[in-house]
Every structure is written in structure tokens, then in C-alpha cells.
């Protein structure tokens, strides 16, 4: 990871534009997939790229542990939301997670429930990224906890 410091929003935006131009130029004429840039804003530049779950519950190391946890709290969430969420088959999820080679990014059982929990502040094993630089900046500056915030820029390249 490369850390860059900027004195203004304008400097940062110019840098991101240079990154985009350099990325397009380096991959022109080559086969493969290149994602759009993704951005993540954090209100403290001292934080690493850690999920809320790893920060708040460092002993939960496996995704299956997370599914166990959210299945335990599901009855209470249903009472407070007045909504019945789909059943969570933890055994099937564990089997699927163990088959690492067949795991795809679109495999997220009970996705709506996961999104609901995350949206309402429940810790998550996933990092939130945005396609918008401005959305990431909003989250970085909204409740800044330090003198310096962080906005991460990432791109997926598959050749």
C-alpha cells in the first residue's frame, strides 16, 4: 500500500485522475478484466483496512462464526423489525465455505438480512467500498475522529 498526503481536495482529485489515466494506458491492448476504481473512506487515517467485525470482535475469525452469531440473534431482530427473515442453514453455509475452490463472489446466503444488519450498525465481516469518490469522502469526513482521514483507492485487475 502506498500512502500519499494531500493538502487539498483538489490535489487529491487530480491524483485520482492521474491514477485512472495511468491504469487505462497500462492496460490498453491487453486482454483481461479491469474494474472501475473503488473507494473507501475512513474517519481516522490511523486505522487499517479492518472490518467493523474484526475491530469489535477480534476472536471471530471465520465467516461461518459470523453466520452462527447472526443466526442466534435472528429471533430478536425479527421481533424488533416485525419482519421474518429467511432461515439461515449454518451447516450448508459451512460446507459451502469449506469448498473454497468453488466459492464465488455472488455466494452470500441471506444477503438481505446481512445488508439490513450492516445498515443498522451491526458489525460486519465485509468492507464497504463505493464506486463514488464522493461517497467515500463523505464517510471519511462525516465524523472525523482524527486530524487526518483516509480515502483508499483500489482496482481489480485480472489478466
Amino acid at each position: 500500500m502506498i500512502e500519499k498526503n494531500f493538502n487539498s481536495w483538489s490535489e487529491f482529485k487530480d491524483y485520482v485522475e492521474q491514477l485512472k489515466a495511468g491504469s487505462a494506458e497500462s492496460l490498453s491492448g491487453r486482454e483481461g478484466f479491469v474494474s472501475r476504481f473503488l473507494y473507501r473512506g475512513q474517519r481516522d487515517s490511523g486505522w487499517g483496512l479492518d472490518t467493523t467485525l474484526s475491530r469489535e470482535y477480534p476472536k471471530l475469525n471465520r465467516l461461518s462464526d459470523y453466520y452462527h452469531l447472526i443466526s442466534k440473534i435472528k429471533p430478536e431482530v425479527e421481533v424488533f423489525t416485525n419482519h421474518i427473515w429467511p432461515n439461515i442453514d449454518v451447516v450448508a453455509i459451512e460446507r459451502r465455505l469449506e469448498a473454497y475452490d468453488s466459492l464465488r463472489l455472488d455466494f452470500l446466503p441471506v444477503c438481505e438480512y446481512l445488508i439490513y444488519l450492516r445498515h443498522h450498525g451491526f458489525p460486519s465481516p465485509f468492507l464497504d467500498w463505493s464506486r463514488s469518490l464522493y461517497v467515500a469522502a463523505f464517510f471519511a469526513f462525516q465524523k472525523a475522529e482524527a486530524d487526518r482521514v483516509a480515502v483508499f483507492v483500489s482496482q481489480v485487475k485480472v489478466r
Side-chain angles (χ1 to χ4, degrees), residues 10-147:
S10 178
E11 275 184 30
F12 176 65
K13 280 179 51 180
D14 290 345
Y15 177 74
V16 170
E17 290 305 317
Q18 291 171 3
L19 282 177
K20 288 179 182 178
S23 174
E25 184 178 306
S26 71
L27 291 166
S28 64
R30 295 185 187 176
E31 289 186 28
F33 168 78
V34 180
S35 74
R36 293 172 51 186
F37 276 84
L38 299 173
Y39 307 94
R40 175 172 174 76
Q42 295 186 167
R43 58 187 177 211
D44 186 334
S45 66
W47 291 352
L49 282 173
D50 295 321
T51 66
T52 53
L53 187 66
S54 65
R55 282 196 305 267
E56 295 181 31
Y57 299 96
K59 293 183 180 181
L60 279 178
N61 296 323
R62 302 174 342 174
L63 191 53
S64 60
D65 294 338
Y66 181 72
Y67 275 102
H68 276 283
L69 176 62
I70 65 170
S71 68
K72 285 181 185 175
I73 66 164
K74 185 175 162 284
E76 288 84 359
V77 172
E78 289 176 338
V79 167
F80 286 109
T81 61
N82 198 26
H83 182 82
I84 303 299
W85 298 96
N87 288 329
I88 301 172
D89 186 346
V90 177
V91 174
I93 291 168
E94 284 180 338
R95 265 190 258 123
R96 182 74 187 266
L97 291 171
E98 288 171 2
Y100 181 79
D101 290 336
S102 66
L103 190 61
R104 296 188 337 242
L105 291 177
D106 63 350
F107 169 70
L108 281 177
V110 296
C111 189
E112 287 183 34
Y113 181 54
L114 295 174
I115 292 168
Y116 179 86
L117 291 174
R118 180 67 198 113
H119 182 74
H120 291 279
F122 194 79
S124 170
F126 307 107
L127 282 174
D128 297 322
W129 290 83
S130 174
R131 289 185 182 157
S132 168
L133 175 61
Y134 299 101
V135 169
F138 171 80
F139 282 104
F141 288 98
Q142 178 190 26
K143 295 179 184 175
E145 293 183 352
D147 292 336

